[in-house]
Amino acid sequence: MIEQSARGSGGELLDVHRLRLVETAAPRLTPEERLAMDRVWDAKVRDNPSFFDGPVLVCAGARREGPDGLAISWVRTTYRHFALRRVPFSTSWLPSFFVSVLQPADDGRLLVGRMSNSTAAPGRWQLPGGSLEPPEGEAPLDLAALQRHAARELIEETGIDTSPDDLTFWNVTRAGNGGIGVLFRAPSLPEARLRERFEAMAAAERAQGREPELDNIFLIHSTPQLRLMVGPHADYLEPIVRRYAESG
């Protein structure tokens, strides 16, 4: 079993080559937890009306299967569940389950983006990606579904249109709060193309009166360059960049 660490500690890579995804039942909230969750969520919506209580998946646990396998238990819920992070006495809180994309430039640098003020983590630098949503109908949640979601997140956040089949499973990361992220690598593209697609996406979003999820991008090739980015970065970003740089 991979223990979930205390909220706020650092992220890491899990060195996984095989995934098994298992749906499980959501934890039952106590009346006190539900009341506190609703209060926190309602306050967040008042501060940022763009927040939407849509369907989302969270991680109920992760268990090693052999030397390179991982079984991830996931739960269907809504974004309101994340408000439990702000409820200190909650024992029903579950961390995020997400996908991220490593998008290299032709020279090997890696694209990272800064979350805009309209998001839940304004100013934070991270890879393109986001929380997973439940599969539709009877469709399974498998690696192909994760690839499709990762490709959708990539085009929505950066404007880069990549076929899901062209995304290669790369590794699994564990955030400091216990969240599990499945990482995919996209084909390399020229820097000019990356910037052109991002700027076109951001301009199109603003023309529709919406703030893009990422308001800036940066290309890096090593962990020391993380210091050049003004603002915080996701705690799992440094080990990802380190491994990416070591792998060439």
Side-chain angles (χ1 to χ4, degrees):
M1 184 72 177
I2 296 175
E3 295 293 336
Q4 293 182 357
S5 66
R7 303 177 192 184
S9 58
E12 61 179 333
L13 283 175
L14 299 182
D15 290 327
V16 170
H17 300 286
R18 294 182 296 106
L19 279 181
R20 189 165 65 89
L21 306 174
V22 183
E23 183 173 9
T24 189
R28 185 180 298 275
L29 304 186
T30 66
E32 293 78 14
E33 284 178 312
R34 185 168 297 280
L35 180 61
M37 176 185 70
D38 290 344
R39 285 174 175 169
V40 172
W41 176 259
D42 291 344
K44 284 184 169 292
V45 172
R46 285 194 298 271
D47 292 339
N48 189 340
S50 67
F51 284 2
F52 172 65
D53 193 23
V56 70
L57 304 185
V58 291
C59 179
R63 185 180 71 255
R64 288 285 187 184
E65 293 189 330
D68 61 356
L70 188 71
I72 301 172
S73 299
W74 56 272
V75 168
R76 300 171 191 257
T77 185
T78 70
Y79 276 91
R80 184 182 298 262
H81 176 88
F82 291 129
L84 287 173
R85 292 175 178 172
R86 306 299 182 186
V87 178
F89 62 82
S90 173
T91 60
S92 302
W93 172 83
L94 293 176
S96 58
F97 184 22
F98 61 96
V99 289
S100 291
V101 179
L102 286 78
Q103 174 61 70
D106 276 354
D107 62 4
R109 289 180 297 164
L110 194 63
L111 184 150
V112 294
R114 186 177 65 191
M115 301 292 282
S116 72
N117 289 333
S118 65
T119 66
R124 186 177 73 183
W125 292 91
Q126 60 185 51
L127 297 174
S131 296
L132 285 160
E133 297 175 1
E136 296 183 5
E138 299 298 319
L141 185 71
D142 54 16
L143 193 62
L146 268 57
Q147 285 174 298
R148 291 192 295 271
H149 192 86
R152 185 165 68 248
E153 292 286 346
L154 183 64
I155 191 171
E156 288 178 356
E157 295 190 352
T158 69
I160 300 166
D161 188 3
T162 298
S163 168
D165 293 338
D166 290 332
L167 296 179
T168 304
F169 174 66
W170 191 76
N171 210 326
V172 174
T173 186
R174 174 183 164 280
N177 63 10
I180 293 291
V182 180
L183 308 172
F184 295 93
R185 178 167 175 163
S188 299
L189 291 172
E191 178 183 355
R193 175 70 171 169
L194 297 178
R195 296 192 181 280
E196 171 191 306
R197 296 309 305 148
F198 175 75
E199 291 167 4
M201 177 280 302
E205 286 291 289
R206 291 181 176 124
Q208 295 294 321
R210 298 187 296 262
E211 185 69 15
E213 289 189 62
L214 300 181
D215 64 11
N216 198 5
I217 59 172
F218 196 79
L219 295 172
I220 61 174
H221 59 70
S222 63
T223 54
Q225 288 194 311
L226 292 172
R227 295 192 294 268
L228 301 178
M229 302 184 302
V230 177
H233 58 265
D235 60 7
Y236 49 85
L237 183 58
E238 185 168 351
I240 291 173
V241 173
R242 181 181 300 112
R243 179 66 59 83
Y244 172 80
E246 290 170 354
S247 65

